[in-house]
Amino acid sequence: MALACAAMMLPASAQWPVDDNAMVPIEAEQNMDYYDPTMIRKADGSSLLSYKVLGKHINPETGQKESHMYVYLYMQKLDKDGNKLLGDSGVAISYKPTQTASFSRIHMDTLANGNIVIHHEDNRPGDTTYVSPTSGDYRSYIYCYTQDGQPVWSRDGIEMPFLPQDPDARSRRVGAEQVKVSGNNVYFTAMMKEEMRNYITPDSFVVYYPTYFEIACLDQNGNILSSSIDSVPTYSAYNTSVAPNGNLYVVYSDFAGGYSAKCFNAQCENIWGEPVVVESDNVTSKSSMGSIVSVAPKEMVLMNDNSLAMVYHTYPVPGRSVLYYNRLYNDGSTFAEHIRLSDTIGLHDAHECLFEGDTLTVFEARSRLTRDEEYLYYNRVLLSDGSYVLGTPLGKILDLNVGVLSKIIGVAKAEDMIQLLLCNDDPHSGVSYNNAYTYTLDGTLIQGKQILGGYTDINDRTCIFDGHYAYLFLSLDDNGKGGIWLSCIDVTDYTKSAPVTGTQDGKFTVNASGRQVQFTRGNMEYMKSHQMAHVINHPWEVLTGLNKWCAVENFINWLDLFGWGTGTIDEIVKYDTLASYDTFTDWGEMSYFDGSCAPGTLRTLSADEWNYLLNEREDAANKRTIGAVYMADHGSPLSGAILLPDEFQLPEGLDIHTDAKNFNVNDYTRPEWFQMEKNGAVFLPLTAYRKDTAMYDYDDSQACALVGHYWTSTIDGEGNAKSIQIDENGFSIVSSPRYLGMGVRLVKDVEAPQGIEDIKVKETGKAVKKGRMTYRQLQKQSVSKLDSIEVSDSNIGDFLETARKYDIDYALKNNIQIQ
């Protein structure tokens, strides 16, 4: 028996084929909307699923298709191998004619005997006991099913008490429902809202909506043991957690602006008598419009000592929030003083917590509207007393100018690393960027990769971590595949997925020997305060005027205009025209923020390579032009240059004019540009340039960017270097003072397909190196310093041919001995 129990406690193995970019369909019928995916993982590796479907269903009782759109509640179970156990379409738990269920969230829990309890809201016609005949009757029901999909309680569910407060109410409804199993008790909680009218004259009135808190307790047979309602209409939002002895913790915010707590027993009585004040009302809880914010502690975790660990917001300034940690003990006491997690008062966008051992890890996304940017913050504190282990900002997530919203999907710990799943939703183009990041415990980002194909239109999601694996249960909107899906991702494996900030697929030839490169998706940026380099995922993003802050010592923002060859930590933020810019250090030699590009992976093109790409490669004149990309659905597009790869297929329905003399000739919406980018097209936005700390466009005229300026790696006489200039006449290679700050777009060399066996290289004054080497490795041997290259007779021909192709022909042209 002991061995059997121990085996059940072992981490469950992966449930279906692990693939960063694969999604397993659960249901994907056309003309149906799927949402609110809910999942419970079992110790044996199986999964319990519940979700809602809006559409014209086949009624399981009549076999006929419904004539109207209704919301159905479905249940499904998968075994550890991902096989469906409840039929191909699962079990329809609720199939009453209701549309209002779309407003409520599914709450699912399991009883001690393994049965499942699920909450659902219906609007069932014909019963107007508590509302006027002209209003809908919104009721809440709890269902209990076996894991085999058989109903245990009433097939129609157990209707929860709906207690009216004022007989003059025009309508009533419940919302924010939750179901929680605590010991042998099943608790249902909700907020009940009534519509009241304060008549000023017989024909004029003011509408207001008092909100009350309801609670009911059921036993495991579905019998309602008790119910009550707080008749004081002050509730704004709440959350619940299991408490010891079958009780229930409830923490709520009220109209006064504070947070309070109660502990209910099976008789629905607060065992503390009076509410416990967690956060007093001197910390206001108001939105940017001055109205009450419906927020409650998102994370409430029961600890081993039966106390409740909580993370919650306060709003000391309208529209700005601070994140706090506190502890609620079983006797109703809390920390003497809350623990502040946010280091600034800003606009909170999202956060996710990890409770692991005695440590609380918090990732928080916060907007800095003065910069129109969103930043990620990382904190670790001890759960016992809230003392800080670590706290640091991790850098910018995205630019809010393009209307993107971030969502933190989940946080886990595996192999002493912190794993973060992040989704950035773009409402303008209907696109999501789904990424997985790996951090060390000190907050150092060491890896980043795309998941779910990078761009996936996720409508709703839930995430459960199990060992190395992240299980994502998600629904896709109509712009994606539709339907509801499951994905299993190994968050510790980075061998199967492209890096987050990698290069585009398109290949560009840059010399007569056939050397090819791939461009990064966007320009390079650097954060001075945290010494972080970053390659942007969005090619249209430019900072321009923000670069003027490069002289500020602790500047917390990104810069993207750099003096020539300043690819080191010590030199990258040079901004003085009198400073020395004598040597070139490639920006590609830096370590990048997202961890996807190791130092030396990227580099800067030379002037000769730019000239070949623009003017000398095959059909060069038809593979470059100018154009614009709309960053939003409204406003002006951002102008720039468009480069097409050696092999390019124009997406269906789109046009491109390579003879354009105006940026507006080739203009693309963001969804259209995503199609172009997917086929390898590169966009270089106009950047202006920086002189000292002032921004200019051209001819030292201060203006918004009408010209683009990008550095090459090529020196041009004393004090100058070659740069690329982009305007309405196209491209030109010009000579520019090295102290000017210009844009940097990096490339990665296309790797040779194989290496050379038994190669020997001898550098001047050094011993012979021998062994198998790839062409890329040979390129990095400082070929100009080699005495000789020795290749076996069997592959000398392949070596010479490929050496010329990949630009190792420097050795051949400079009389380095090849044996």
Side-chain angles (χ1 to χ4, degrees), residues 508-511 515 517 519 605-626 640-646 658 682 684 708 710-712 723-727 729-734:
F508 296 76
T509 301
V510 293
N511 68 12
R515 186 178 194 174
V517 299
F519 282 86
L605 288 177
S606 68
D608 286 344
E609 288 174 320
W610 269 111
N611 181 65
Y612 190 90
L613 184 152
L614 295 172
N615 302 310
E616 298 182 13
R617 62 175 171 146
E618 183 178 352
D619 200 24
N622 291 318
K623 293 178 180 176
R624 54 172 169 75
T625 187
I626 57 175
I642 298 173
L643 302 175
L644 304 181
D646 295 344
T658 56
V682 170
L684 298 173
Y710 288 85
W711 280 124
T712 76
S723 66
I724 303 300
Q725 182 170 299
I726 304 165
D727 54 29
N729 294 317
F731 301 81
S732 55
I733 300 176
V734 299

Side-chain angles (χ1 to χ4, degrees), residues 737-754:
R738 300 179 205 171
Y739 58 75
L740 294 181
M742 294 189 179
V744 174
R745 179 64 67 88
L746 299 170
V747 301
K748 181 176 73 172
D749 289 313
V750 176
E751 297 288 348
Q754 60 184 3

